[in-house]
Amino acid sequence: MGISTLDQARAKGAVVEWDLEVVSLGQLRAAVRRLLAPLAGIGVEDAVQVCDELAGNAVVHARAPRGCRLMVADHGGWLRVEVDDASPVPARIRRPDHTGGRGLILVDQLATCWGVDYHGGGKTVWAELGTRGPG
């Protein structure tokens, strides 16, 4: 799937996926803004920042294949971001320095919760924003 599924995602709770090997981080940020703009209950710029940090970490620090998945509740008040990569190296908060290290600190502050699931030599780093609500 890709950016073309945005209209379908607006119509109901949906999953939208991007292949980070073919979609730039700028395209991802723009797509997240378009997807979330009409929905209530989620801070759009917070969601964009979380997506960008998780996807950027995968692009810079992990091996391909890399992908990003957004799950939006039909009521619009909950979002889950998942970024898959083929690296078993743990995602971890580290002390910021001149090379970076602020990304997961931001995710930790902006997201309701976040974590890492390991599978088949790779991992999925995920974060949730908002509340699931009914349904």
Side-chain angles (χ1 to χ4, degrees), residues 36-118:
L36 297 179
L39 301 177
I42 297 205
V44 172
E45 291 308 313
D46 287 353
V48 169
Q49 185 72 48
V50 168
C51 290
D52 187 56
E53 295 298 341
L54 295 183
N57 281 350
V59 168
V60 172
H61 301 292
R63 295 189 306 244
R66 295 173 283 245
C68 180
R69 192 168 33 263
L70 263 58
M71 289 162 268
V72 182
D74 56 1
H75 64 85
W78 175 82
L79 169 76
R80 181 176 171 105
V81 179
E82 295 181 348
V83 175
D84 303 319
D85 65 58
S87 173
V89 176
R92 63 180 175 80
I93 293 177
R94 66 180 180 98
R95 181 176 301 232
D97 61 23
H98 70 283
T99 64
R102 291 168 184 80
L104 286 179
I105 292 172
L106 288 170
V107 170
D108 190 58
Q109 292 176 348
L110 295 173
T112 306
C113 57
W114 72 278
V116 184
D117 296 326
Y118 297 93

Coordinates of all heavy atoms in Angstrom, one line a residue, residues 36-118:
L36 N -4.4 12.9 9.0 CA -4.9 13.3 10.3 C -5.6 14.6 10.4 O -6.4 14.9 11.3 CB -3.8 13.2 11.3 CG -3.1 11.9 11.5 CD1 -2.0 12.0 12.5 CD2 -4.1 10.8 11.9
A37 N -5.4 15.5 9.4 CA -5.9 16.8 9.5 C -7.5 16.9 9.7 O -7.9 17.7 10.6 CB -5.6 17.6 8.2
P38 N -8.3 16.0 9.1 CA -9.7 16.1 9.4 C -10.2 15.4 10.6 O -11.4 15.4 11.0 CB -10.3 15.5 8.1 CG -9.3 14.5 7.7 CD -8.0 15.1 8.0
L39 N -9.3 14.8 11.3 CA -9.7 14.0 12.5 C -9.5 14.7 13.8 O -8.5 15.5 14.0 CB -8.8 12.7 12.6 CG -8.9 11.8 11.4 CD1 -8.0 10.6 11.5 CD2 -10.4 11.3 11.1
A40 N -10.4 14.6 14.7 CA -10.4 15.2 16.0 C -9.7 14.3 17.0 O -9.6 13.1 16.8 CB -11.8 15.5 16.5
G41 N -9.1 14.9 18.0 CA -8.5 14.1 19.1 C -7.1 13.7 19.0 O -6.5 13.2 20.0
I42 N -6.4 14.0 17.9 CA -5.0 13.7 17.8 C -4.3 15.0 17.4 O -4.7 15.6 16.5 CB -4.7 12.6 16.8 CG1 -5.4 11.3 17.2 CG2 -3.2 12.4 16.6 CD1 -4.8 10.1 16.7
G43 N -3.2 15.3 18.2 CA -2.4 16.4 17.8 C -1.6 16.1 16.5 O -0.7 15.2 16.6
V44 N -1.9 16.7 15.4 CA -1.3 16.3 14.1 C 0.2 16.5 14.2 O 0.9 15.6 13.8 CB -2.0 17.2 13.0 CG1 -1.2 16.9 11.7 CG2 -3.4 16.9 12.8
E45 N 0.7 17.6 14.7 CA 2.1 17.8 14.6 C 2.8 16.9 15.6 O 4.0 16.4 15.3 CB 2.5 19.3 14.9 CG 2.1 20.2 13.8 CD 2.6 19.8 12.4 OE1 3.8 19.4 12.3 OE2 1.8 19.8 11.4
D46 N 2.2 16.5 16.7 CA 2.8 15.5 17.6 C 2.9 14.2 16.8 O 3.9 13.5 16.9 CB 2.0 15.3 18.8 CG 2.1 16.5 19.8 OD1 2.9 17.4 19.6 OD2 1.3 16.5 20.8
A47 N 1.8 13.8 16.2 CA 1.8 12.5 15.4 C 2.9 12.6 14.3 O 3.6 11.6 14.1 CB 0.5 12.3 14.8
V48 N 3.0 13.7 13.6 CA 4.0 13.8 12.5 C 5.4 13.6 13.1 O 6.2 12.9 12.6 CB 3.8 15.1 11.8 CG1 5.0 15.4 10.9 CG2 2.6 15.2 11.0
Q49 N 5.6 14.3 14.3 CA 7.0 14.2 14.9 C 7.3 12.8 15.3 O 8.4 12.3 15.1 CB 7.0 15.1 16.1 CG 8.4 15.2 16.8 CD 9.3 16.0 16.0 OE1 9.0 17.1 15.5 NE2 10.5 15.5 15.8
V50 N 6.3 12.1 15.9 CA 6.6 10.7 16.3 C 6.8 9.8 15.1 O 7.8 9.0 15.1 CB 5.4 10.1 17.1 CG1 5.5 8.6 17.3 CG2 5.3 10.9 18.5
C51 N 6.0 9.9 14.0 CA 6.3 9.1 12.8 C 7.6 9.4 12.2 O 8.4 8.5 11.9 CB 5.2 9.5 11.8 SG 3.6 8.9 12.2
D52 N 8.0 10.7 12.2 CA 9.3 11.1 11.6 C 10.4 10.5 12.4 O 11.4 10.1 11.8 CB 9.3 12.6 11.5 CG 10.6 13.1 10.8 OD1 10.7 12.7 9.6 OD2 11.3 13.9 11.3
E53 N 10.3 10.6 13.7 CA 11.4 10.1 14.6 C 11.6 8.6 14.4 O 12.7 8.1 14.3 CB 11.2 10.5 16.0 CG 11.2 12.0 16.4 CD 12.6 12.6 16.1 OE1 13.6 11.9 16.0 OE2 12.6 13.9 16.0
L54 N 10.5 7.9 14.5 CA 10.6 6.4 14.4 C 11.1 6.0 13.0 O 12.0 5.1 12.8 CB 9.3 5.7 14.7 CG 8.8 5.9 16.1 CD1 7.5 5.1 16.3 CD2 9.8 5.5 17.2
A55 N 10.5 6.6 11.9 CA 10.9 6.2 10.6 C 12.4 6.7 10.3 O 13.1 6.0 9.7 CB 10.0 6.8 9.6
G56 N 12.7 7.9 10.8 CA 14.1 8.4 10.6 C 15.1 7.5 11.2 O 16.2 7.2 10.7
N57 N 14.8 7.0 12.4 CA 15.7 6.1 13.1 C 15.9 4.8 12.3 O 17.0 4.3 12.2 CB 15.2 5.7 14.5 CG 15.4 6.8 15.5 OD1 16.2 7.7 15.3 ND2 14.8 6.7 16.7
A58 N 14.8 4.3 11.7 CA 15.0 3.1 10.9 C 15.8 3.3 9.7 O 16.7 2.5 9.3 CB 13.6 2.6 10.5
V59 N 15.6 4.5 9.0 CA 16.3 4.8 7.8 C 17.8 5.0 8.1 O 18.7 4.5 7.4 CB 15.7 6.0 7.1 CG1 16.6 6.5 6.0 CG2 14.3 5.7 6.6
V60 N 18.1 5.6 9.2 CA 19.5 5.9 9.5 C 20.2 4.8 10.2 O 21.4 4.5 9.9 CB 19.6 7.2 10.4 CG1 21.0 7.4 10.9 CG2 19.1 8.4 9.7
H61 N 19.6 4.0 11.1 CA 20.3 3.1 11.9 C 20.0 1.6 11.6 O 20.7 0.7 12.2 CB 19.9 3.3 13.4 CG 20.3 4.7 13.9 ND1 21.6 5.1 14.0 CD2 19.5 5.8 14.2 CE1 21.6 6.4 14.4 NE2 20.4 6.8 14.6
A62 N 19.0 1.3 10.8 CA 18.6 -0.1 10.6 C 18.7 -0.6 9.2 O 18.9 0.2 8.3 CB 17.2 -0.3 11.1
R63 N 18.6 -1.9 9.0 CA 18.7 -2.5 7.7 C 17.3 -2.6 7.0 O 16.3 -2.7 7.7 CB 19.3 -3.9 7.8 CG 20.8 -3.9 8.3 CD 21.4 -5.3 8.2 NE 20.6 -6.3 8.9 CZ 21.0 -7.0 9.9 NH1 22.2 -6.8 10.4 NH2 20.2 -7.9 10.5
A64 N 17.4 -2.6 5.7 CA 16.2 -2.9 4.9 C 15.8 -4.3 5.0 O 16.7 -5.2 5.3 CB 16.4 -2.5 3.5
P65 N 14.6 -4.7 4.8 CA 13.5 -3.8 4.4 C 12.9 -3.0 5.6 O 13.0 -3.5 6.8 CB 12.4 -4.7 3.9 CG 12.7 -6.0 4.6 CD 14.1 -6.1 4.8
R66 N 12.5 -1.8 5.3 CA 11.9 -0.9 6.3 C 10.6 -0.4 5.9 O 10.4 0.0 4.7 CB 12.9 0.3 6.5 CG 14.2 -0.1 7.1 CD 15.1 1.1 7.1 NE 15.6 1.4 5.8 CZ 16.9 1.3 5.4 NH1 17.8 0.9 6.3 NH2 17.3 1.5 4.1
G67 N 9.6 -0.3 6.8 CA 8.3 0.1 6.5 C 7.6 0.8 7.6 O 8.0 0.7 8.8
C68 N 6.7 1.6 7.3 CA 5.9 2.4 8.3 C 4.4 2.1 8.1 O 3.9 2.1 7.0 CB 6.2 3.9 8.2 SG 5.3 4.9 9.4
R69 N 3.7 1.9 9.3 CA 2.3 1.5 9.2 C 1.6 2.5 10.2 O 2.1 2.6 11.4 CB 2.2 0.1 9.6 CG 0.9 -0.6 9.4 CD 1.0 -2.1 9.6 NE 2.0 -2.6 10.6 CZ 3.2 -3.0 10.3 NH1 3.7 -3.0 9.1 NH2 4.0 -3.4 11.3
L70 N 0.5 3.1 9.8 CA -0.3 3.9 10.7 C -1.7 3.2 10.9 O -2.3 2.8 9.9 CB -0.6 5.3 10.1 CG 0.3 6.4 10.6 CD1 1.8 6.1 10.4 CD2 -0.1 7.7 10.0
M71 N -2.1 3.1 12.1 CA -3.5 2.6 12.4 C -4.2 3.7 13.1 O -3.8 4.2 14.1 CB -3.4 1.3 13.2 CG -2.8 0.1 12.5 SD -2.3 -1.2 13.6 CE -0.6 -0.7 13.7
V72 N -5.4 4.1 12.5 CA -6.2 5.2 13.0 C -7.5 4.6 13.4 O -8.2 3.9 12.6 CB -6.4 6.3 11.9 CG1 -7.2 7.4 12.5 CG2 -5.0 6.7 11.4
A73 N -7.9 4.9 14.6 CA -9.3 4.4 15.0 C -10.3 5.2 14.3 O -10.1 6.4 13.9 CB -9.4 4.7 16.5
D74 N -11.5 4.6 14.1 CA -12.5 5.2 13.3 C -13.1 6.5 14.0 O -13.6 7.4 13.3 CB -13.7 4.3 12.9 CG -14.3 3.6 14.1 OD1 -13.9 3.9 15.3 OD2 -15.2 2.8 13.9
H75 N -12.9 6.6 15.3 CA -13.4 7.8 16.0 C -12.4 8.9 15.9 O -12.6 10.0 16.3 CB -13.8 7.5 17.4 CG -12.6 7.0 18.3 ND1 -11.8 7.9 18.9 CD2 -12.2 5.8 18.6 CE1 -10.8 7.2 19.5 NE2 -11.1 5.9 19.3
G76 N -11.2 8.6 15.4 CA -10.1 9.6 15.2 C -9.3 10.0 16.4 O -8.5 10.9 16.3
G77 N -9.6 9.5 17.6 CA -8.9 9.9 18.8 C -7.7 9.1 19.2 O -7.1 9.2 20.2
W78 N -7.3 8.1 18.3 CA -6.2 7.2 18.6 C -5.5 6.9 17.4 O -6.0 6.7 16.3 CB -6.8 5.9 19.2 CG -5.8 4.9 19.5 CD1 -4.9 4.8 20.6 CD2 -5.5 3.7 18.7 NE1 -4.2 3.6 20.5 CE2 -4.5 3.0 19.3 CE3 -6.0 3.3 17.5 CZ2 -3.9 1.8 18.8 CZ3 -5.4 2.1 16.9 CH2 -4.4 1.4 17.6
L79 N -4.2 6.8 17.5 CA -3.3 6.5 16.4 C -2.2 5.6 16.9 O -1.6 5.8 18.0 CB -2.7 7.8 15.8 CG -1.5 7.6 14.9 CD1 -2.0 7.2 13.5 CD2 -0.7 8.9 14.7
R80 N -1.8 4.6 16.1 CA -0.7 3.8 16.4 C 0.2 3.8 15.2 O -0.2 3.7 14.1 CB -1.1 2.3 16.7 CG 0.1 1.4 17.0 CD -0.4 0.0 17.4 NE 0.7 -0.9 17.5 CZ 1.2 -1.4 18.6 NH1 0.7 -1.0 19.8 NH2 2.2 -2.3 18.7
V81 N 1.5 4.1 15.5 CA 2.6 4.1 14.4 C 3.4 2.9 14.7 O 3.9 2.6 15.8 CB 3.4 5.4 14.6 CG1 4.5 5.4 13.5 CG2 2.6 6.6 14.5
E82 N 3.7 2.1 13.6 CA 4.6 1.0 13.7 C 5.7 1.2 12.6 O 5.3 1.4 11.4 CB 3.9 -0.3 13.5 CG 2.9 -0.6 14.6 CD 2.2 -2.0 14.4 OE1 2.3 -2.6 13.3 OE2 1.6 -2.4 15.4
V83 N 6.9 1.0 13.0 CA 8.0 1.0 12.0 C 8.8 -0.3 12.1 O 9.3 -0.6 13.1 CB 8.9 2.2 12.2 CG1 10.1 2.2 11.2 CG2 8.2 3.6 12.0
D84 N 8.8 -1.0 11.0 CA 9.5 -2.3 10.9 C 10.9 -2.1 10.3 O 11.0 -1.3 9.3 CB 8.7 -3.3 10.0 CG 7.3 -3.5 10.5 OD1 7.1 -3.6 11.7 OD2 6.4 -3.5 9.6
D85 N 11.8 -2.9 10.7 CA 13.1 -2.9 10.1 C 13.7 -4.3 10.3 O 13.2 -5.1 11.0 CB 14.1 -1.8 10.6 CG 14.4 -1.9 12.0 OD1 15.0 -3.0 12.4 OD2 14.2 -1.0 12.8
A86 N 14.8 -4.6 9.6 CA 15.5 -5.9 9.7 C 16.7 -5.9 10.6 O 17.5 -6.8 10.4 CB 15.9 -6.3 8.2
S87 N 16.7 -5.0 11.5 CA 17.9 -5.0 12.4 C 17.5 -5.5 13.8 O 16.5 -5.0 14.4 CB 18.4 -3.6 12.6 OG 19.4 -3.5 13.6
P88 N 18.2 -6.4 14.4 CA 17.9 -6.9 15.8 C 18.4 -5.9 16.9 O 18.1 -6.1 18.0 CB 18.6 -8.2 15.9 CG 19.8 -8.0 15.0 CD 19.3 -7.2 13.8
V89 N 19.1 -4.9 16.5 CA 19.7 -3.9 17.4 C 18.5 -3.2 18.2 O 17.6 -2.6 17.5 CB 20.6 -2.9 16.7 CG1 21.1 -1.9 17.7 CG2 21.8 -3.6 16.1
P90 N 18.5 -3.2 19.5 CA 17.4 -2.6 20.3 C 17.3 -1.1 20.0 O 18.3 -0.4 19.9 CB 17.8 -2.9 21.7 CG 18.8 -4.0 21.7 CD 19.5 -3.9 20.4
A91 N 16.1 -0.7 20.0 CA 15.8 0.8 20.0 C 15.9 1.2 21.5 O 15.3 0.5 22.3 CB 14.5 1.1 19.4
R92 N 16.6 2.2 21.8 CA 16.8 2.6 23.2 C 17.0 4.1 23.3 O 17.5 4.8 22.4 CB 17.9 1.9 23.8 CG 19.3 2.3 23.2 CD 20.5 1.6 23.8 NE 21.7 1.8 23.1 CZ 22.4 2.9 23.3 NH1 22.0 3.9 24.1 NH2 23.5 3.1 22.6
I93 N 16.5 4.7 24.4 CA 16.7 6.1 24.7 C 18.2 6.2 25.1 O 18.7 5.4 25.8 CB 15.8 6.6 25.8 CG1 14.4 6.6 25.3 CG2 16.2 7.9 26.2 CD1 13.4 7.0 26.4
R94 N 18.9 7.2 24.5 CA 20.3 7.4 24.8 C 20.5 8.8 25.2 O 19.7 9.7 25.0 CB 21.2 6.9 23.7 CG 21.1 7.8 22.4 CD 22.1 7.2 21.4 NE 22.1 8.0 20.2 CZ 22.9 9.0 19.9 NH1 23.9 9.3 20.7 NH2 22.8 9.6 18.7
R95 N 21.6 9.1 25.8 CA 22.0 10.4 26.2 C 22.3 11.3 24.9 O 23.1 10.9 24.1 CB 23.2 10.4 27.1 CG 23.6 11.8 27.6 CD 24.8 11.7 28.5 NE 24.3 10.9 29.6 CZ 24.4 11.2 30.9 NH1 25.0 12.3 31.2 NH2 24.0 10.4 31.8
P96 N 21.6 12.4 24.8 CA 21.8 13.2 23.6 C 23.3 13.8 23.6 O 23.8 14.1 24.6 CB 20.8 14.4 23.7 CG 19.8 13.9 24.7 CD 20.5 12.9 25.6
D97 N 23.8 13.8 22.4 CA 25.1 14.4 22.2 C 25.2 15.1 20.8 O 24.1 15.3 20.2 CB 26.2 13.4 22.3 CG 26.2 12.3 21.3 OD1 25.5 12.4 20.2 OD2 26.7 11.2 21.6
H98 N 26.3 15.5 20.4 CA 26.4 16.2 19.1 C 26.0 15.4 17.9 O 25.8 15.9 16.8 CB 27.9 16.7 18.9 CG 28.9 15.7 18.7 ND1 29.4 14.9 19.7 CD2 29.5 15.2 17.5 CE1 30.2 14.0 19.2 NE2 30.3 14.2 17.9
T99 N 25.9 14.1 18.0 CA 25.5 13.2 16.9 C 24.0 12.9 16.9 O 23.4 12.3 16.0 CB 26.2 11.8 17.0 OG1 25.8 11.1 18.1 CG2 27.7 12.0 16.9
G100 N 23.2 13.3 18.0 CA 21.8 13.1 18.0 C 21.4 12.5 19.4 O 22.0 12.8 20.4
G101 N 20.4 11.6 19.3 CA 20.0 11.0 20.6 C 18.7 11.6 21.2 O 18.3 11.2 22.3
R102 N 18.1 12.5 20.5 CA 16.9 13.1 21.0 C 15.6 12.5 20.5 O 14.5 12.7 21.1 CB 16.9 14.6 20.6 CG 18.0 15.4 21.4 CD 18.2 16.8 20.8 NE 19.3 17.4 21.5 CZ 20.5 17.2 21.2 NH1 20.9 16.4 20.3 NH2 21.5 17.9 21.9
G103 N 15.6 11.7 19.5 CA 14.5 11.1 18.8 C 13.6 10.4 19.8 O 12.4 10.6 19.9
L104 N 14.1 9.4 20.4 CA 13.2 8.5 21.3 C 12.9 9.3 22.6 O 11.8 9.0 23.2 CB 13.9 7.2 21.6 CG 13.9 6.2 20.4 CD1 14.6 4.9 20.8 CD2 12.4 5.9 19.9
I105 N 13.6 10.3 23.0 CA 13.2 11.1 24.1 C 11.9 11.9 23.7 O 11.0 12.0 24.5 CB 14.3 12.1 24.5 CG1 15.5 11.4 25.1 CG2 13.8 13.2 25.5 CD1 16.8 12.2 25.3
L106 N 11.9 12.4 22.5 CA 10.7 13.1 22.0 C 9.5 12.1 21.9 O 8.4 12.5 22.3 CB 11.0 13.7 20.6 CG 11.9 15.0 20.6 CD1 12.2 15.3 19.2 CD2 11.2 16.1 21.3
V107 N 9.8 10.9 21.3 CA 8.7 9.9 21.2 C 8.2 9.6 22.6 O 6.9 9.6 22.8 CB 9.2 8.7 20.5 CG1 8.2 7.5 20.6 CG2 9.5 9.0 19.1
D108 N 9.0 9.4 23.6 CA 8.6 9.1 24.9 C 7.8 10.2 25.6 O 6.8 10.0 26.3 CB 9.9 8.9 25.8 CG 9.6 8.3 27.2 OD1 8.9 7.2 27.2 OD2 9.9 8.9 28.2
Q109 N 8.1 11.5 25.2 CA 7.3 12.6 25.8 C 6.0 12.8 25.0 O 5.0 13.2 25.7 CB 8.2 13.9 25.7 CG 9.3 13.8 26.7 CD 10.2 15.0 26.6 OE1 10.1 15.8 25.6 NE2 11.2 15.2 27.5
L110 N 5.9 12.6 23.7 CA 4.7 12.8 23.0 C 3.7 11.7 22.9 O 2.5 11.9 22.8 CB 5.1 13.2 21.5 CG 5.9 14.5 21.4 CD1 6.4 14.6 19.9 CD2 5.1 15.7 21.8
A111 N 4.2 10.5 23.0 CA 3.3 9.3 22.8 C 2.7 8.9 24.2 O 3.3 9.2 25.2 CB 4.1 8.1 22.3
T112 N 1.5 8.3 24.1 CA 0.9 7.8 25.3 C 1.7 6.6 25.8 O 1.8 6.4 27.0 CB -0.6 7.3 24.9 OG1 -1.2 8.4 24.3 CG2 -1.3 6.9 26.1
C113 N 2.2 5.8 24.9 CA 3.0 4.7 25.2 C 3.8 4.3 23.9 O 3.4 4.7 22.8 CB 2.3 3.5 25.7 SG 1.0 2.8 24.6
W114 N 4.9 3.6 24.1 CA 5.7 3.1 23.0 C 6.5 1.9 23.4 O 6.7 1.6 24.6 CB 6.6 4.2 22.4 CG 7.8 4.6 23.3 CD1 7.8 5.4 24.4 CD2 9.2 4.1 23.1 NE1 9.1 5.5 24.9 CE2 9.9 4.7 24.2 CE3 9.8 3.2 22.3 CZ2 11.3 4.4 24.3 CZ3 11.1 3.0 22.4 CH2 11.9 3.6 23.4
G115 N 7.0 1.2 22.5 CA 7.8 0.0 22.8 C 8.4 -0.7 21.5 O 8.3 -0.1 20.4
V116 N 9.0 -1.8 21.7 CA 9.6 -2.6 20.7 C 9.2 -4.0 20.7 O 9.2 -4.6 21.8 CB 11.2 -2.5 20.8 CG1 11.8 -3.1 19.6 CG2 11.6 -1.0 20.9
D117 N 8.8 -4.6 19.6 CA 8.6 -6.0 19.5 C 9.6 -6.6 18.5 O 9.8 -6.1 17.4 CB 7.2 -6.2 18.9 CG 6.1 -5.7 19.8 OD1 6.2 -5.8 21.0 OD2 5.0 -5.2 19.2
Y118 N 10.3 -7.7 19.0 CA 11.3 -8.3 18.2 C 10.7 -9.5 17.5 O 9.9 -10.3 18.0 CB 12.5 -8.7 19.1 CG 13.1 -7.5 19.7 CD1 12.7 -7.1 20.9 CD2 14.1 -6.8 19.0 CE1 13.3 -5.9 21.5 CE2 14.7 -5.6 19.5 CZ 14.3 -5.2 20.8 OH 14.8 -4.1 21.3

